[in-house]
């Protein structure tokens, strides 16, 4: 089961922007699926054209250790499979 997270950023006028998302949802489409895994693998492998925003990195860092790595991918697979 995917968990929610809260993301804080600064707006152009200095306002604080608060957004919520789902851990594992790297594509930010509201669904955790294989597309998120593909994007995470591309990011880890340094694939050209796979540049993640800070919000996407936050969503992909499922273990909340500051990096996206294979442990996060395994956890996302578990989320997809219903674990």
């Amino acid at each position: 089961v995917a968990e929610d997270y809260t993301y804080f950023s600064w707006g152009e006028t200095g306002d604080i922007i608060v957004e919520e998302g789902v851990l594992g949802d790297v594509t930010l489409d509201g669904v955790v699926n294989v597309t998120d895994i593909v994007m995470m693998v591309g990011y880890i492998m340094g694939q050209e054209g796979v540049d993640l925003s800070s919000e996407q990195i936050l969503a992909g860092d499922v273990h909340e250790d500051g990096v996206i790595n294979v442990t996060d991918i395994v956890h996302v697979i578990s989320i997809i499979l219903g674990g």
Side-chain angles (χ1 to χ4, degrees):
V1 176
E3 299 176 30
D4 294 339
Y5 69 89
T6 303
Y7 174 76
F8 300 92
S9 62
W10 293 101
E12 291 181 20
T13 61
D15 296 335
I16 297 175
I17 300 170
V18 180
E19 299 180 54
E20 294 185 2
V22 178
L23 283 175
D25 179 22
V26 178
T27 58
L28 306 177
D29 62 0
V31 180
V32 179
N33 57 30
V34 70
T35 306
D36 299 297
I37 294 170
V38 170
M39 187 169 274
M40 292 170 76
V41 170
Y43 176 76
I44 291 170
M45 300 298 293
Q47 182 179 343
E48 187 175 332
V50 181
D51 298 317
L52 302 183
S53 69
S54 55
E55 185 177 0
Q56 289 175 300
I57 292 170
L58 182 64
D61 182 18
V62 181
H63 280 108
E64 300 175 332
D65 60 359
V67 295
I68 296 178
N69 56 32
V70 71
T71 306
D72 297 303
I73 292 172
V74 170
H75 194 109
V76 172
I77 291 169
S78 177
I79 290 169
I80 293 170
L81 297 176

